[in-house]
Amino acid sequence: MIEIATIARVLRLSINRPEKRNALNSNTCRQFLEAFEKAETDAAVGAVLICGNGSAFCAGMDLEEVLSTDQDELVGLHECLFTTIERARKPIVAAVQGAAIAAGMGLAANAHVVIAGPEAQFALTEIRIGLWPVIVFRAVARAIGERRATELSLTGRTISADEAFHFGLVTQLVPDAKAKALDVAQKLSGFSPVAMATGLEHIARTRGLDWTAAGPVGREMRAQLMAAGDFREGVDAFLQKRPADWPSLRTSSPD
């Protein structure tokens, strides 16, 4: 199951299957998807934090369930979950302590920011059971490059937190990943929701485009941001040396 908690404007999603090293089953995948979807439309949520209870972040899929579940349904769930980063318009922060294996590595790769502890380990181990990380490969390759993702998929080898940091999968390596990740998520949730959503949309819309095609998209989105009340408030707050009071938060908050 997923434990859900709200801390200020951060929605924390904790995988709570420590006896299974937080392996994902179909129910856990559904809970993740429901939480992500609700977060996207909830003005009270500024950022999402994902982590695991116990010694592991996520040890992959629950293999005991995989063979006994309708494959079409399971593949659909996985495809939707492991492309979350494509649709997310609110930042996702992952706190990785312990193992992030196979689907666990894919889950981390679907976060915008990955904070890891020194004991964290990452691997794409599907090849060891006669499988290939088809669904998570794209997100992992985007994070660390296709050549490295291919090598990890072929060998199934485990990499350390330090190596994952140098590869670019881990964005910060710290002693206490959960505490740092919450701090980062809280800071992100305090920025303009309009700027955050537009920025993540810009990344998604321009991915794969050349400079000529990406230019007009960027100019259009920049003009939208500069015409928005959040930008005007941000500039005023900066010049007046005070915290910004984002109009988008005021207008979306309940009376």
Side-chain angles (χ1 to χ4, degrees):
M1 63 170 289
I2 303 293
E3 282 188 351
I4 300 176
T6 302
I7 305 170
R9 286 177 38 77
V10 175
L11 182 68
R12 186 179 66 192
L13 308 177
S14 305
I15 311 172
N16 189 34
R17 304 187 76 210
E19 74 286 355
K20 292 281 190 177
R21 300 181 70 224
N22 293 327
L24 300 176
N25 59 14
S26 56
N27 185 51
T28 309
C29 292
R30 289 190 192 93
Q31 288 180 320
F32 259 128
L33 288 171
E34 290 172 3
F36 283 135
E37 288 171 7
K38 289 180 180 178
E40 287 295 307
T41 58
D42 188 348
V45 174
V48 177
L49 170 62
I50 57 177
C51 58
N53 291 341
S55 61
F57 173 70
C58 174
M61 300 309 303
D62 188 335
L63 296 180
E64 291 183 357
E65 183 200 58
V66 166
L67 296 179
S68 61
T69 302
D70 179 84
Q71 291 303 302
D72 288 340
E73 179 185 9
L74 199 59
V75 169
L77 279 173
H78 294 173
E79 179 68 28
C80 197
L81 178 59
F82 296 114
T83 54
T84 296
I85 196 169
E86 294 286 348
R87 305 182 301 279
R89 295 299 177 263
K90 293 186 179 179
I92 301 171
V93 180
V96 180
Q97 295 187 171
I101 306 299
M105 186 171 181
L107 194 60
N110 266 275
H112 301 101
V113 179
V114 179
I115 313 294
E119 78 292 346
Q121 294 182 318
F122 301 83
L124 296 175
T125 55
E126 288 86 346
I127 197 68
R128 301 180 190 177
I129 58 170
L131 198 61
W132 186 265
V134 174
I135 295 178
V136 304
F137 184 87
R138 286 172 292 172
V140 174
R142 187 176 301 149
I144 68 176
E146 183 178 306
R147 189 172 181 83
R148 282 177 170 147
T150 300
E151 186 264 336
L152 293 179
S153 301
L154 287 169
T155 63
R157 75 180 180 92
T158 300
I159 61 173
S160 66
D162 186 65
E163 193 169 7
F165 175 73
H166 287 292
F167 280 3
L169 175 63
V170 171
T171 49
Q172 293 188 52
L173 190 57
V174 298
D176 188 340
K178 289 184 179 180
K180 182 63 176 179
L182 177 58
D183 179 62
V184 170
Q186 288 177 325
K187 288 180 179 176
L188 294 180
S189 70
F191 293 136
S192 161
V194 172
M196 195 72 70
T198 303
L200 295 178
E201 182 182 356
H202 174 258
I203 293 170
R205 285 181 60 184
T206 58
R207 183 175 289 118
L209 299 182
D210 60 27
W211 283 98
T212 302
V217 177
R219 288 193 295 272
E220 174 194 348
M221 299 182 84
R222 185 172 186 267
Q224 291 173 355
L225 280 175
M226 295 186 74
D230 277 13
F231 174 69
R232 293 191 291 274
E233 165 61 14
V235 172
D236 286 344
F238 176 80
L239 294 175
Q240 297 168 22
K241 296 181 172 56
R242 60 170 175 80
D245 181 16
W246 306 116
S248 62
L249 277 182
R250 296 200 301 272
T251 56
S252 59
S253 299
D255 293 334

